[in-house]
Amino acid sequence: MTKPADMLRLGVNIDHVATLRNARGGSHPCPVSAALLAQKSGADGITAHLREDRRHIKDDDIVNLKQVLDIPLNFEMAATEEMVSLAERLRPNAACIVPEKRAELTTEGGLAVTGHEARLAPFITRLKAAGVRVSLFVDAIPGELEAAVGLGADIVELHTGAYCDASGAERAAHLTLLRDGAHYADKLGLEVHAGHGLNYENVSDIAAIQQMVELNIGHFLIGAAVFSGLPDALSTMRRLMDDARPEKSA
Ligand code: PXP
């Protein structure tokens, strides 16, 4: 499949395949198999977030993803010694540093970079020394983008959650912030990504932002896959059940 040179990259976040697997504590559905299927189906990269509480992706998943994928792995992680050490060993294509609170359902806002440079700088230096591209998941605020440049980040991923949750004039205002943020980040020399909460209804305005290079999408895609995949799964189960039945003699 040939793609235009300026085609936006689609990173598929497979965390919620692991959520489903963990609901039963077994191995099905396997997030690594889902990542391979996403790769076969046109994903440009795979994103996975190893949270401190291991609520979805587990350590083995991350190791296996790195081993089997041909497309880049974007390792989402908190800025902690444990995660940075793992990233140094794993050497994913990129590490996206996200804020992490134990009680949150999902990553609620961008990373606070301004004022936290002294804590973040050694981690970023180590990641870069290991050959890992560094991405910071931030709100589209000029000061945060400048702080990201100051720390030597390669990429900023703009948090689209507030835009996705809003409607009407509020959403338009968030979109303006994202457009301006993408423009400014690009001008500062950062590669611009975006993600969180994107779905069929809200993705187009974000995808249309000229400076955007990659979108990372997870929860909605995995949910949508349930609906598009259910007919096929159901007919396979139907056939297996039917085939197991003794034929009735006429
Ligand atoms: N990008 C980042 C940095 C994230 O933390 C997440 C959520 O894990 C996503 C993208 C994907 O968000 P969603 O699952 O809402 O599509």
Side-chain angles (χ1 to χ4, degrees):
M1 190 173 24
T2 53
K3 298 180 178 183
D6 66 343
M7 193 162 169
L8 192 52
R9 294 169 47 82
L10 171 57
V12 176
N13 180 317
I14 42 94
D15 292 351
H16 295 296
V17 179
T19 305
L20 206 53
R21 173 197 61 189
N22 298 353
R24 286 289 177 94
S27 59
H28 172 79
C30 170
V32 180
S33 304
L36 286 171
L37 186 58
Q39 173 176 281
K40 206 169 128 193
S41 312
D44 299 296
I46 297 294
T47 293
H49 183 178
L50 184 68
R51 294 187 74 104
E52 185 193 14
D53 62 10
R54 309 300 199 265
R55 69 174 72 158
H56 38 55
I57 294 294
K58 311 274 187 202
D59 297 59
D60 282 355
D61 296 327
I62 283 287
V63 172
N64 292 338
L65 283 168
K66 179 65 177 45
Q67 268 172 9
V68 302
L69 287 175
D70 295 324
I71 53 177
L73 172 64
N74 178 33
F75 174 47
E76 260 185 51
M77 50 170 260
T80 62
E81 177 56 40
E82 182 196 20
M83 290 302 154
V84 173
S85 304
L86 206 158
E88 284 178 316
R89 274 179 275 128
L90 191 72
R91 291 162 156 265
N93 181 267
C96 180
I97 303 182
V98 301
E100 200 174 296
K101 294 188 215 127
R102 276 183 197 210
E104 68 189 357
L105 286 178
T106 182
T107 314
E108 285 166 355
L111 184 72
V113 184
T114 314
H116 298 269
E117 288 91 341
R119 191 175 67 84
L120 293 169
F123 289 148
I124 292 174
T125 304
R126 281 169 57 189
L127 290 167
K128 290 183 70 129
V132 179
R133 299 184 80 213
V134 175
S135 172
L136 301 182
F137 188 42
V138 294
D139 293 318
I141 297 169
E144 296 294 58
L145 305 175
E146 288 158 8
V149 174
L151 283 168
D154 304 288
I155 303 162
V156 278
E157 181 165 333
L158 302 180
H159 196 307
T160 50
Y163 153 80
C164 294
D165 288 345
S167 56
E170 205 192 325
R171 180 184 279 193
H174 280 296
L175 184 58
T176 301
L177 289 177
L178 288 162
R179 283 186 183 134
D180 293 350
H183 182 261
Y184 189 45
D186 178 65
K187 220 170 105 187
L188 291 170
L190 293 158
E191 185 173 306
V192 187
H193 299 180
H196 208 284
L198 295 172
N199 61 30
Y200 292 154
E201 180 262 325
N202 59 29
V203 73
S204 302
D205 282 333
I206 301 299
I209 298 173
Q210 198 201 329
Q211 296 81 11
M212 210 52 86
V213 172
E214 177 175 304
L215 299 184
N216 287 305
I217 308 181
H219 185 266
F220 176 81
L221 264 184
I222 302 306
V226 170
F227 292 100
S228 56
L230 196 54
D232 189 43
L234 202 142
S235 72
T236 301
M237 188 59 79
R238 178 78 263 166
R239 181 175 47 77
L240 289 169
M241 288 163 56
D242 292 348
D243 288 354
R245 303 293 288 177
E247 277 182 31
K248 276 198 183 137
S249 45

